[in-house]
Amino acid sequence: MNGLQLSMLLFLLSIGLSVVFGLMNFINLAHGTLYMIGAYLALSAVRLFDSFWIALILAPLGVAMVGAVLYALLLRHLQSRGPMSQVLVTFGLIFVGIDAVRMIWGPLPHGLPVPDVLDGRMEILGEVYPTYRLFIIAVGIVALIGLYFGLERTRLGAMVRAGVDDRTMTAALGINIDRVFFLVFCLGCWLAGVAGVISAPVFSVFPGMDMSILILTLIVVVVGGPGSLWGAAVGSLLIGMVDTYGQILAPEFARATIYALMAAILLLRPHGLLPARPIH
């Protein structure tokens, strides 16, 4: 169950990064920073309104707004440039984000209380398990179903894929592909904010929390295949389980096991397990 909970958190983060990376051809290393900002905005919202649920609504919207500003002022100008420029700029944004949260919220870690309605335990197959962790799993499953119907079965998903495959032809058909990409980018930022909010009661909120989750998220994208919804889901489940069992069975080799698994998968399937299907 702990592995499934980590997998759902990784999915909420990796699907946004995967869509931006695989469909928009943009490497956004600052995606984990948006996750961290979501956790801190949730902390402020809980202190102001004394409600986790209001924080769950407001914080992801705030993260989406931050992402929209970054996209409009900076990231959209990098979309036509090479990956090295994208990596360097977004890597710099990681340090900007860490310093920003230190100046606003301080350098000390903070805790976020579990909402009262979820502050309990349930019996699952004879084992007692925290209700809030089941809530995290449920959020991930709902997000997977919603994204499937929203991106795989709608005109928006078709426009995004068509725009990546042939941007000029898509624009000639009267589709404002820049607006479509902007909406997809904001959706990924919103999902990162949701992940930050729901993870805050389980993990401490502290400057640099983005780096601890970013590496696993990037591995999920590489293993699952960029741009693929089901690739992100399978990759998250695989990496989440391997990391959780590794911490229990062989903690000194846990991360090494993840990297070895990634290397083995890339040797057999260089584009990931379930990469996005190209349009012909």
Side-chain angles (χ1 to χ4, degrees):
M1 297 300 292
N2 284 340
L4 187 58
Q5 172 224 299
L6 177 60
S7 299
M8 292 300 99
L9 282 177
L10 290 176
F11 171 73
L12 290 173
L13 279 168
S14 64
I15 185 57
L17 184 62
S18 180
V19 167
V20 172
F21 181 36
L23 300 183
M24 297 174 62
N25 297 318
F26 191 94
I27 303 174
N28 181 22
L29 294 183
H31 196 72
T33 303
L34 297 172
Y35 158 82
M36 178 178 64
I37 292 175
Y40 273 102
L41 290 179
L43 179 66
S44 295
V46 169
R47 289 175 176 176
L48 183 61
F49 299 103
D50 194 26
S51 173
F52 172 84
W53 306 110
I54 293 179
L56 185 57
I57 295 173
L58 295 182
L61 292 177
V63 174
M65 292 177 61
V66 172
V69 171
L70 287 177
Y71 182 89
L73 297 181
L74 185 62
L75 301 184
R76 70 184 179 92
H77 301 291
L78 299 172
Q79 191 171 344
S80 59
R81 300 187 184 182
M84 184 57 66
S85 297
Q86 299 170 5
V87 168
L88 290 176
V89 172
T90 55
F91 189 71
L93 288 176
I94 293 176
F95 296 99
V96 173
I98 292 175
D99 286 339
V101 299
R102 281 175 178 165
M103 288 188 294
I104 297 173
W105 288 279
L108 298 178
H110 302 275
L112 200 66
V114 174
D116 293 337
V117 68
L118 298 175
D119 190 14
R121 295 179 178 273
M122 297 182 64
E123 186 172 336
I124 305 294
L125 299 177
E127 297 290 337
V128 178
Y129 197 71
T131 305
Y132 184 78
R133 292 177 182 261
L134 294 175
F135 168 73
I136 295 177
I137 296 173
V139 170
I141 294 175
V142 170
L144 174 61
I145 296 173
L147 287 169
Y148 172 75
F149 287 103
L151 294 179
E152 299 286 339
R153 297 291 183 179
T154 64
R155 189 166 176 245
L156 174 63
M159 288 191 294
V160 172
R161 294 178 183 276
V164 171
D165 188 68
D166 194 333
R167 186 187 185 98
T168 304
M169 181 60 69
T170 305
L173 293 174
I175 298 174
N176 190 335
I177 197 62
D178 290 327
R179 182 179 300 173
V180 172
F181 282 176
F182 173 73
L183 292 175
V184 171
F185 183 82
C186 289
L187 175 62
C189 295
W190 182 83
L191 288 171
V194 171
V197 175
I198 64 175
S199 68
V202 178
F203 307 105
S204 297
V205 182
F206 60 94
M209 61 183 292
D210 53 336
M211 296 301 295
S212 60
I213 200 72
L214 176 63
I215 301 301
L216 288 178
T217 305
L218 290 173
I219 293 176
V220 167
V221 174
V222 172
V223 168
S228 171
L229 174 65
W230 294 111
V234 173
S236 299
L237 186 62
L238 186 61
I239 298 302
M241 290 297 181
V242 170
D243 183 67
T244 301
Y245 277 99
Q247 295 289 347
I248 297 174
L249 300 178
E252 63 275 14
F253 299 111
R255 288 301 166 92
T257 304
I258 292 176
Y259 293 126
L261 175 64
M262 179 181 66
I265 291 176
L266 291 181
L267 284 174
L268 298 175
R269 298 183 64 88
H271 299 290
L273 293 174
L274 297 170
R277 296 187 300 270
I279 298 175
H280 298 288

